[in-house]
Amino acid sequence: MACDVFALANVGVQGLHPYQPGKPIEELQRELGLTSVVKLASNENPLGPSPLAMAAAQAALKQSHLYPDASGFDLKKKLALKLGVSENQFTLGNGSNDVLDLIARTFLSAGSSAVFSQYAFIVYPIAVQAVGARAIVTPAKNWGHDLDAMAAAIEPDTKVVFIANPNNPTGNYLDRASLSAFLAKVPEHVIVVLDEAYIEFAGVEDFPDGLTFLSKYPNIIVTRTFSKAYGLAGLRIGYGVSSPQIADLLNRVRAPFNVSIPAMSAALAVLDDDDYLIRSQQVNSAGMQQLCAGFEALGLSYIPSVGNFVALELPCDAMPVYQALLKEGVIVRPVGVYQMPKHLRISIGLEHENTRCLNALQKLKSEGVLD
Ligand SMILES: *Cc1c(COP(=O)(O)O)cnc(C)c1O
């Protein structure tokens, strides 16, 4: 009695492909018998976790037999104070990815559509398609979001627009004036998601803080995460900030205990670790300069980035280069799933990790692999 379970799945789900994560270090060590491996593939924080966050998570293990505080009271209170908004504007997530999913499940279904850009974060098409909604993908301009095209692409059934600022995997950003002009054009019944996973790294003067638009445009949801600059990717915690009305809706859909006790405790602690955040930013900007100077010395181009990663552009197909880098013990991220077959996304590492990556590229160049 063979049952075709595939046919049972929602139509949107049938068309999905599993998300391709960066290759884990241990996997490469197993496969190639390498001992020393550098992973610059998942935009993780190369400093390791904040010691304050680790101590807090460890202490929180004593409460492991209890369910977490489903309201996230302490964390919301602290975030509210820090960001100048109210507690009832937050939606906590198991990573901000969880919040993006909640947004799709709350506002989208078969019969509605979402707009996002070509080369935008891969989670948007997954979240949209999984709930059976239609994706409207606008062509990129210079590898970035074309906001005029996005505004023009909004249709009567469009309920959500997703914008990553800075964008992953390209690393480029939308400045305050462009974003502001775009928001003024979006109908008020369309939700605009401003995904700010990398905002802490975007140290440019004209970079817009999405929260400053919230009072004027109540249709905005800003999402942020503790995974990148705050170094807690493995604990899974992020959040959305929106109007209280939108937060109320998202919180109805949210699984009540979606954020663990150690994750909330670590997040509370790292918010007090100013030194850690500053070091994250410093290591990132030094590493970005190091890598980009190295690329230039090798005659390679890249998309200028304000994130903690950079998309290197190769003169050839990126997959053989990716494979050859693996043999050198350097894991980076191919972005073929983004329709960028000639790019490799490289996360900024510590100085010696960046050096290792550049040396491996130098070797491949001398071997003609980069031709
Ligand atoms: C990494 C990332 C996220 C979220 O990651 P979480 O770990 O789920 O918080 C969200 N958006 C973009 C663009 C990202 O690159």
Side-chain angles (χ1 to χ4, degrees), residues 113-133:
S113 65
V115 172
F116 51 87
S117 174
Q118 181 187 24
Y119 310 132
F121 188 39
I122 200 88
V123 162
Y124 311 151
I126 297 174
V128 170
Q129 204 177 316
V131 296

Side-chain angles (χ1 to χ4, degrees), residues 87-353:
E87 283 95 332
N88 63 2
Q89 294 183 261
F90 286 94
T91 307
L92 299 184
N94 193 270
S96 57
N97 199 143
D98 189 24
V99 181
L100 298 172
D101 253 331
L102 287 176
I103 293 167
R105 287 164 59 207
T106 302
F107 295 104
L108 298 169
S109 58
S112 59
S113 65
V115 172
F116 51 87
S117 174
Q118 181 187 24
Y119 310 132
F121 188 39
I122 200 88
V123 162
Y124 311 151
I126 297 174
V128 170
Q129 204 177 316
V131 296
R134 189 164 55 96
I136 301 175
V137 186
T138 57
K141 196 165 82 181
N142 297 324
W143 300 106
H145 294 55
D146 180 344
L147 290 178
D148 291 333
M150 291 181 79
I154 293 171
E155 294 190 11
D157 73 351
T158 300
K159 294 196 167 173
V160 181
V161 176
F162 289 99
I163 290 176
N165 200 31
N167 185 46
N168 171 18
T170 55
N172 43 26
Y173 75 100
L174 297 162
D175 64 27
R176 194 176 295 119
S178 326
L179 190 57
S180 180
F182 171 77
L183 292 171
K185 278 194 267 183
V186 175
E188 60 189 9
H189 61 270
V190 174
I191 306 277
V192 179
V193 179
L194 299 175
D195 176 349
E196 298 183 337
Y198 301 98
I199 189 169
E200 297 86 1
F201 294 115
V204 277
E205 206 280 315
D206 60 350
F207 190 89
D209 174 344
L211 296 177
T212 60
F213 297 115
L214 257 180
S215 51
K216 189 162 178 196
Y217 301 107
N219 54 327
I220 293 176
I221 307 173
V222 174
T223 61
R224 296 202 179 159
T225 181
F226 287 95
S227 296
K228 310 284 164 54
Y230 289 102
L232 297 176
L235 287 180
R236 312 305 303 128
I237 180 163
Y239 58 92
V241 191
S242 63
S243 69
Q245 291 77 11
I246 289 178
D248 175 53
L249 288 166
L250 297 176
N251 277 296
R252 293 178 193 208
V253 179
R254 184 179 62 83
F257 307 110
N258 62 333
V259 182
S260 74
I261 295 176
M264 276 194 278
S265 301
L268 273 167
V270 79
L271 285 174
D272 282 332
D273 198 346
D274 293 337
D275 288 349
Y276 180 83
L277 182 64
I278 291 169
R279 269 201 304 139
S280 294
Q281 291 163 330
Q282 285 171 343
V283 164
N284 191 67
S285 67
M288 180 71 80
Q289 281 177 38
Q290 182 193 359
L291 277 180
C292 292
F295 297 156
E296 282 161 30
L298 288 166
L300 297 170
S301 45
Y302 55 90
I303 304 173
S305 168
V306 297
N308 66 346
F309 56 89
V310 54
L312 174 66
E313 186 179 344
L314 298 162
C316 55
D317 181 21
M319 270 327 263
V321 180
Y322 166 69
Q323 298 291 350
L325 285 172
L326 287 182
K327 293 201 177 96
E328 299 299 322
V330 178
I331 310 174
V332 298
R333 191 70 158 267
V335 280
V337 290
Y338 286 93
Q339 266 72 57
M340 297 171 67
K342 292 190 164 181
H343 286 81
L344 289 174
R345 194 193 67 192
I346 302 179
S347 305
I348 310 303
L350 300 175
E351 187 180 353
H352 73 92
E353 296 171 320

